[in-house]
Amino acid sequence: MKRWITFCLILLASSSALAADFLLTSSRPNSLHLFDLAARKLVRTYPLPGDGAPGAIAVPADAKVAYVMTNHFDSIIGVNLDSGQVVFRADMSTPKERVKSMFGMTVSLDGSKLYVYQIPTRMKRNEYESEDTRIAVYNTADGINAKPAKTFPAPRGISLLAPTANPDRIVAVGPDIYVFDAKAGKVDKTFPLRHWQRQGIGEPDILSFWHQYEQARVLSSPYFVAKTDADPKSPEAFKVGILNFDLDTEKLNYAELGNADTAIFSAVMNPVKRTEVFTVMNQILRADMAAKKFTDRVELDQTYYAINIASDGKEIYLGGAANKVAIYDTATLTKQGEIIMPGAADQSTSSMRIIHR
């Protein structure tokens, strides 16, 4: 595993040094967009086959192919970002089994394996039968009409998958955080969240399905939690925190940062200053993880669901929810500009991914 970590870190470092940041996001009607962040302009739009709004976006380290969940969470489409050609497609449902995936999808850093969390339902003559949830593993080289190379059981309630440095190990966020050994087809590690045992702290509430961990290689997510030893009428009774899971070391850290006086949807770690995390919904909040507190907050003109950050840590990008990506300076938290989606189309719950080209 150490060799994989070294290989991936060298690859990512060299990519960051030699290439510029580009942003991938999606919008209705079933389109993927590539933006040049330095020029603040659209480079290309990729129409996706199928119906429905796109969901999760997964990109390997070489950023040659983007994998997008679409077709009402039923299909995965792989698009070559240079040619625009569809080079991979996996339709998960069959006449006897309806399979949906929501947002649980990722690709290994080397681009060889695609992992999809599946929610299958057996379509019987006069009833639907819920089947056990699972993770399907696809070989991306199988191209069009790809079928799973294997499947293995996975807990219910998983909302996000992310790649570790090893292509045969993936992280899943659900009621707890799980690290899967995909070769063995089983959970290798569990980091308790819902099942943590913390004195005076209740069960955390976590909404984590935006994929925005590629810059720092850390999966960050806000959570809300009750203090069971506090007066329920007190402002101190409900806290907001941020968890950070390092995808290369497979280590989890978290901290409560303040009273839960605002809603937060997603978070991203600064790849240059790794004690700094930015979060977003109706405000931008800057968190100092070392000091365990929020240090700055700025009101926004609208709600944003997703957030990502530049390779040099100097800008953050806010998107999702509506038809634009807003750009803010990280030092001052002042707005630097915005990018409007083609046709002013709605991004909905799309993730925003930063790639290097």
Side-chain angles (χ1 to χ4, degrees), residues 21-196:
D21 283 351
F22 287 75
L23 183 144
L24 278 172
T25 188
S26 62
S27 72
R28 303 173 190 271
N30 211 20
S31 300
L32 178 69
H33 309 291
L34 177 67
F35 292 94
D36 182 331
L37 287 170
R40 314 287 204 237
K41 70 177 185 180
L42 176 69
V43 175
R44 187 165 186 171
T45 291
Y46 308 88
L48 301 174
D51 196 10
I57 302 168
V59 190
D62 65 12
K64 292 182 178 179
V65 176
Y67 298 89
V68 187
M69 189 176 295
T70 186
N71 207 22
H72 301 292
F73 305 109
D74 201 306
S75 302
I76 311 298
I77 303 295
V79 179
N80 183 295
L81 294 176
D82 291 322
S83 68
Q85 181 182 0
V86 174
V87 296
F88 179 90
R89 178 163 182 162
D91 297 308
M92 297 183 289
S93 293
T94 67
K96 293 184 178 180
E97 186 181 60
R98 184 178 64 193
V99 181
K100 300 295 181 181
S101 184
M102 299 303 288
F103 302 97
M105 178 190 72
T106 196
V107 64
S108 59
L109 290 182
D110 66 1
S112 65
K113 294 181 174 64
L114 184 75
Y115 297 95
V116 185
Y117 177 72
Q118 295 185 332
I119 308 166
T121 301
R122 180 65 57 184
M123 311 298 288
K124 294 188 173 182
R125 191 184 187 102
N126 60 354
E127 64 177 328
Y128 296 161
E129 178 184 344
S130 293
E131 298 182 306
D132 292 336
T133 48
R134 66 200 184 208
I135 291 176
V137 185
Y138 294 86
N139 293 319
T140 57
D142 288 345
I144 308 301
N145 297 321
K147 305 299 180 187
K150 67 182 294 184
T151 63
F152 52 85
R156 290 193 177 275
I158 287 175
S159 59
L160 185 147
L161 298 181
T164 70
N166 185 324
D168 294 311
R169 293 175 68 80
I170 54 169
V171 175
V173 181
D176 299 310
I177 293 180
Y178 313 96
V179 179
F180 284 90
D181 179 337
K183 275 190 173 180
K186 65 179 183 179
V187 174
D188 183 57
K189 299 178 184 177
T190 299
F191 297 82
L193 298 176
R194 179 178 294 176
H195 301 102
W196 64 19

Side-chain angles (χ1 to χ4, degrees), residues 23-27 35 37 209-210 212 265-268 279-284 300-309 316-328 335 337-341 345-354:
L23 183 144
L24 278 172
T25 188
S26 62
S27 72
F35 292 94
L37 287 170
F209 57 71
W210 286 279
Q212 48 213 25
F265 265 17
S266 59
V268 67
T279 74
V280 75
M281 187 182 171
N282 298 320
Q283 301 170 322
I284 301 170
L300 295 169
D301 59 341
Q302 66 173 62
T303 296
Y304 294 92
Y305 293 160
I307 184 170
N308 217 320
I309 191 166
I316 50 174
Y317 310 103
L318 316 179
N323 65 351
K324 66 183 177 184
V325 173
I327 303 165
Y328 279 75
K335 190 172 183 179
E338 61 184 33
I339 300 170
I340 304 299
M341 294 297 106
D346 176 18
Q347 294 172 85
S348 186
T349 55
S350 175
S351 294
M352 297 188 306
R353 308 305 304 270
I354 305 294

Side-chain angles (χ1 to χ4, degrees), residues 145-294:
N145 297 321
K147 305 299 180 187
K150 67 182 294 184
T151 63
F152 52 85
R156 290 193 177 275
I158 287 175
S159 59
L160 185 147
L161 298 181
T164 70
N166 185 324
D168 294 311
R169 293 175 68 80
I170 54 169
V171 175
V173 181
D176 299 310
I177 293 180
Y178 313 96
V179 179
F180 284 90
D181 179 337
K183 275 190 173 180
K186 65 179 183 179
V187 174
D188 183 57
K189 299 178 184 177
T190 299
F191 297 82
L193 298 176
R194 179 178 294 176
H195 301 102
W196 64 19
Q197 301 295 320
R198 298 177 62 197
Q199 186 69 32
I201 301 292
E203 177 183 312
D205 183 4
I206 299 173
L207 176 66
S208 183
F209 57 71
W210 286 279
H211 299 69
Q212 48 213 25
Y213 41 73
E214 62 272 10
Q215 296 289 59
R217 293 286 300 145
V218 172
L219 194 163
S220 293
S221 180
Y223 65 88
F224 295 84
V225 68
K227 288 195 68 177
T228 57
D229 56 0
D231 181 347
K233 296 181 181 179
S234 166
E236 300 290 328
F238 209 58
K239 297 290 186 180
V240 59
I242 293 176
L243 64 85
N244 294 304
F245 189 91
D246 190 307
L247 297 171
D248 294 322
T249 64
E250 299 181 10
K251 293 182 179 180
L252 172 67
N253 292 286
Y254 50 78
E256 288 79 55
L257 305 175
N259 294 339
D261 59 356
T262 188
I264 303 170
F265 265 17
S266 59
V268 67
M269 177 177 283
N270 189 333
V272 177
K273 186 179 179 181
R274 297 173 71 88
T275 58
E276 187 174 67
V277 173
F278 295 93
T279 74
V280 75
M281 187 182 171
N282 298 320
Q283 301 170 322
I284 301 170
L285 281 80
R286 186 202 313 269
D288 184 332
M289 298 304 298
K292 298 184 179 181
K293 65 179 182 180
F294 291 112

